[in-house]
Amino acid sequence: MSTGRSASSPVSLVIPPSPFLADERVFPFIGVLKVASVLEAAGVPVDILDCSGYANYQDLLLEYLDQHRDMDWFGITATTPQLPNAVELLHTIREQRPQARVTVGGPHATLTTAAWKMDQEKGLRGRGSIAYDQLTSLFDCVVAGDGEEAVFRALGVNQPQLIDADDLHSDLFLKRGSLEDFPYPARQLIDLASYHYTIDGHPATSLIGQLGCPFKCGFCGGRDAASFRFIRTRRPEHIAQEIRHLHSVYGYTGYMFYDDELNVTPRGLEDLCGALIALQDELGTEMRFRGFVKAELFTERQAAAMYKAGFRVLLSGVESGSDRILAAMEKRTTAEINSRCLRLARDAGMEFKALMSIGHPGESRRTVVESVEWVLREQPNEVDWTVITQYPGSPYFDHSVRVSGQRGTWVYETMAGELLYSREVDYTREAEFYKGVSGSYVSYVWTPDLSADTLVWERDEAERVTRAALGMPPIQSIAAEQFEHSMGQGLLPARVLRSTRETMAVSH
Ligand code: SF4
């Protein structure tokens, strides 16, 4: 369909709220900021409406639409749990501005498209197809995969229903070695100061050094999506340059690496640490870092390099204390490998945060106890417990089959015959599966031994027992804010809306 837009027509990128998070303004969504930066570099005027942390986000959008009557192109980014809010935003745009084109991009669009493509290959109509059809029936255009090049196709005339950049052979897929050709994420288009995080007392923000993880953990989204699996790195010096930029513009001395796993390439982590050390020497500033590592690839040399560079806390997806469950999820680790990883971190002087999960194929009371015992025995400094959620694009989701005679029930079976059942979820409506706060979890999965409700109870208990044993306080939720119409005297505040239009007007 022709949009009739010119290359200089403004676009609006919308970040929906994430009410499932305990605190919505901790780390910003980097992907949408990368898209904004390439648009800005190309001279396309960009507004970013950041609804993070606002319960009455629809009021923000209505106010925005009222103030920007020329805006007729919207791009909404969404993770799977953000989708219900993204759909609400879409409906409001449709009501208020029926002629506007609305594109959806981000992780949910990418993962759902990958799941649909897998169904196509198998010649069946599975869950991926259902989720994909829902998405394409709602939005004018779906962008799957890297948005940096794809967004220009989405802006063009004859906007297609699907722009598939999540394909190794697509010219829209960012090739290895090309990440450095793009500008840094446009963090100036959000109110970064309103995102609060500290590492060891250092004011901190997040960045992504490299993309992709080639492993196949059953619960992890994107195992069948090229843009999630294919490793694409930047030179360590380029990553250090981005940190130098963030330090000089914002003054941050703490950085959370949101790479899937920092040590998936040989020597990559050690080289990164070398660049971080050189940067701090050059600036005469001490910095602190955090990041995730894959336990079986973790070495003494990596641990020593990380400590020297300023890492003081290591995060690792331990997931379970049961070797049987670790095998069922294809984690390629064992309880002993995870213990060894923790010891290496400790011996190097770092703390260890264990990320645990319950609700894998074959999970039973016994295996949950093994997980709790692992935590109590190894005493990580911090622990986090979640109930498994089946996201489109994860093996648990993509490879589940319908249970005959039980409407809306699916089952995933491992090679060893371990089972994980799940209820069909309408991702456009339900986001209650991850709340982050004890007492508010909902499970849509269950095993032959543990019902969905029991899994939630086991999670809450595991969290209560282990956090108490480790001396950790209960998780608190930060209440979402209400947008007050008076706060900007009729204009949306900079905490919510930022635009390149002002800077472009000044520079032209
Ligand atoms: S959980 Fe970590 S190691 Fe496993 S596939 Fe996902 S990113 Fe890779």
Side-chain angles (χ1 to χ4, degrees):
M1 179 182 186
S2 173
T3 63
R5 294 173 52 80
S6 79
S8 58
S9 301
V11 304
S12 174
L13 299 178
V14 184
I15 303 171
S18 307
F20 48 89
L21 294 178
D23 182 357
E24 297 187 45
R25 292 222 177 203
V26 177
F27 295 122
F29 290 95
I30 300 280
V32 67
L33 302 181
K34 289 193 203 174
V35 171
S37 67
V38 293
L39 288 169
E40 183 180 21
V44 179
V46 187
D47 294 348
I48 291 193
L49 187 68
D50 184 0
C51 301
S52 305
Y54 285 95
N56 59 340
Y57 59 97
Q58 294 282 39
D59 291 347
L60 295 178
L61 178 61
L62 286 169
E63 189 90 12
Y64 175 80
L65 291 168
D66 192 47
Q67 291 168 13
H68 299 80
R69 293 176 181 270
D70 59 334
M71 185 58 73
D72 66 353
W73 194 98
F74 294 83
I76 303 180
T77 181
T79 59
T80 300
Q82 282 177 308
L83 192 65
N85 295 115
V87 171
E88 291 296 319
L89 289 164
L90 166 76
H91 289 323
T92 300
I93 296 169
R94 290 267 190 260
E95 278 165 25
Q96 301 293 319
R97 196 139 310 159
Q99 77 280 14
R101 307 289 295 168
V102 187
T103 293
V104 66
H108 183 77
T110 303
L111 298 176
T112 300
T113 304
W116 167 71
K117 286 194 291 188
M118 175 139 294
D119 279 356
Q120 298 282 103
E121 273 172 33
K122 291 183 194 161
L124 54 80
R125 183 172 161 72
R127 305 165 99 179
S129 304
I130 297 168
Y132 178 78
D133 287 351
Q134 238 177 1
L135 216 52
T136 50
S137 69
L138 286 164
F139 293 89
D140 297 307
C141 177
V142 173
V143 172
D146 303 322
E148 285 89 334
E149 301 278 7
V151 69
F152 294 101
R153 210 162 286 177
L155 290 180
V157 293
N158 301 320
Q159 188 187 42
Q161 190 171 50
L162 170 66
I163 298 173
D164 187 6
D166 187 44
D167 178 343
L168 283 179
H169 306 294
S170 166
D171 57 336
L172 304 175
F173 183 87
L174 305 188
K175 301 288 178 286
R176 272 192 179 134
S178 71
L179 297 191
E180 297 177 21
D181 300 340
F182 296 93
Y184 299 139
R187 294 177 175 90
Q188 73 279 9
L189 290 180
I190 55 167
D191 183 20
L192 202 53
S194 65
Y195 286 79
H196 297 292
Y197 190 65
T198 57
I199 301 176
D200 252 9
H202 291 245
T205 191
S206 57
L207 80 159
I208 298 172
Q210 65 183 6
L211 297 172
C213 171
F215 293 100
K216 296 190 299 184
C217 304
F219 59 89
C220 185
R223 297 311 90 210
D224 298 314
S227 53
F228 280 74
R229 281 205 71 175
F230 195 70
I231 296 178
R232 289 166 291 170
T233 56
R234 290 193 277 156
R235 283 175 301 118
E237 295 73 25
H238 192 266
I239 298 169
Q241 285 288 353
E242 184 175 351
I243 292 174
R244 180 208 305 273
H245 163 78
L246 289 169
H247 177 257
S248 80
V249 175
Y250 301 100
Y252 289 115
T253 51
Y255 297 91
M256 171 78 195
F257 280 95
Y258 250 93
D259 303 34
D260 287 331
E261 311 282 353
L262 282 168
N263 60 339
V264 287
T265 59
R267 281 209 56 84
L269 176 53
E270 288 165 62
D271 291 346
L272 172 65
C273 290
L276 298 178
I277 292 165
L279 175 69
Q280 292 170 80
D281 287 348
E282 183 198 321
L283 295 175
T285 303
E286 202 171 316
M287 294 181 173
R288 288 288 178 269
F289 304 96
R290 286 185 109 175
F292 302 85
V293 296
K294 187 93 177 81
E296 77 275 24
L297 302 177
F298 197 52
T299 65
E300 201 175 334
R301 285 172 65 105
Q302 289 173 2
M306 289 180 90
Y307 183 82
K308 202 169 166 207
F311 285 84
R312 293 293 179 271
V313 182
L314 198 71
L315 294 92
S316 190
V318 172
E319 314 300 345
S320 177
S322 158
D323 288 349
R324 188 164 64 75
I325 295 299
L326 288 167
M329 71 177 84
E330 296 198 40
K331 190 71 189 175
R332 295 166 68 134
T333 58
T334 60
E336 176 46 32
I337 287 173
N338 287 321
S339 300
R340 175 189 150 277
C341 180
L342 179 146
R343 283 197 299 273
L344 286 174
R346 281 269 171 76
D347 290 349
M350 290 184 284
E351 295 190 347
F352 187 92
K353 178 167 181 175
L355 308 172
M356 310 297 291
S357 50
I358 294 176
H360 295 279
E363 194 86 76
S364 66
R365 176 85 188 104
R366 176 69 226 142
T367 60
V368 175
V369 168
E370 285 181 72
S371 294
V372 171
E373 284 176 351
W374 186 92
V375 174
L376 296 178
R377 184 173 65 247
E378 300 298 343
Q379 297 273 307
N381 302 80
E382 286 183 71
V383 67
D384 190 77
W385 292 89
T386 188
V387 176
I388 283 301
T389 301
Q390 293 196 354
Y391 290 114
S394 68
Y396 287 173
F397 180 97
D398 295 355
H399 302 293
S400 285
V401 295
R402 279 182 205 278
V403 177
S404 65
Q406 291 183 41
R407 203 158 176 267
T409 301
W410 295 73
V411 65
Y412 172 87
E413 183 170 5
T414 67
M415 299 287 274
E418 320 261 31
L419 301 177
L420 179 64
Y421 292 94
S422 56
R423 175 164 89 63
E424 202 158 290
V425 176
D426 181 349
Y427 290 101
T428 64
R429 291 174 190 275
E430 297 175 87
E432 296 301 309
F433 40 82
Y434 181 74
K435 279 284 195 179
V437 181
S438 189
S440 51
Y441 271 79
V442 176
S443 172
Y444 294 144
V445 299
W446 65 96
T447 67
D449 282 359
L450 297 176
S451 70
D453 286 346
T454 310
L455 280 170
V456 171
W457 185 87
E458 293 284 3
R459 191 218 74 87
D460 288 353
E461 267 305 285
E463 181 176 273
R464 188 184 64 75
V465 169
T466 55
R467 285 181 77 93
L470 300 179
M472 295 174 67
I475 295 172
Q476 301 292 334
S477 180
I478 308 272
E481 292 194 30
Q482 289 287 326
F483 161 61
E484 304 290 353
H485 291 265
S486 61
M487 65 205 274
Q489 283 114 37
L491 292 174
L492 287 165
R495 192 174 195 270
V496 172
L497 175 66
R498 299 218 171 177
S499 174
T500 62
R501 293 200 243 191
E502 294 95 38
T503 45
M504 282 175 163
V506 170
S507 59
H508 285 101

